[in-house]
Amino acid sequence: MSDVESTLARIQTHKGVLGIIVLSHEGITLRSTLDDALTKQYADMIPSLAALARNMVRDLDPQNDLEFLRVRSQKHEIMVSSTPEFVLIVIQAEVKE
């Protein structure tokens, strides 16, 4: 198993993780554990939200950059990490303590 596959498998085992999507910066799905329709929905919306957040951070401080974005709703938590090579999106169900 490659390093990427083992990392995705490790993330998938965390409590509440519903799915993982790996996108290129061009919006091409490289890997996904979700069905095609849900993958497309997240892949179409999340990168633009991350771009808006990145622009806001840069507007506040041009020397700074967005590394991680976390959005929590009543049902889910969406975590986005962007690297120079790809965008990682993890969707997690609300974990009750």
Side-chain angles (χ1 to χ4, degrees):
M1 184 182 296
S2 72
D3 287 343
V4 172
E5 294 297 328
S6 63
T7 300
L8 292 177
R10 183 175 45 82
I11 292 170
Q12 188 69 44
T13 63
H14 283 254
K15 186 176 183 179
V17 171
L18 300 174
I20 302 168
I21 303 169
V22 180
L23 301 173
S24 69
H25 284 284
E26 292 77 33
I28 298 168
T29 302
L30 304 174
R31 296 243 188 341
S32 178
T33 61
L34 299 171
D35 64 56
D36 290 342
L38 207 48
T39 297
K40 181 171 176 17
Q41 187 177 14
Y42 280 105
D44 288 347
M45 295 182 173
I46 297 300
S48 59
L49 176 63
L52 284 170
R54 170 174 279 129
N55 290 338
M56 183 200 67
V57 168
R58 287 183 178 165
D59 286 348
L60 293 171
D61 180 358
Q63 301 292 318
N64 206 352
D65 198 7
L66 182 74
E67 292 182 4
F68 191 82
L69 175 65
R70 184 180 216 152
V71 178
R72 183 179 291 184
S73 69
Q74 290 178 349
K75 294 182 180 179
H76 299 105
E77 189 169 39
I78 303 166
M79 294 162 281
V80 183
S81 178
S82 184
T83 70
E85 296 85 28
F86 59 86
V87 177
L88 173 68
I89 303 169
V90 178
I91 299 96
Q92 184 171 321
E94 179 189 11
V95 178
K96 303 256 184 203
E97 308 258 335

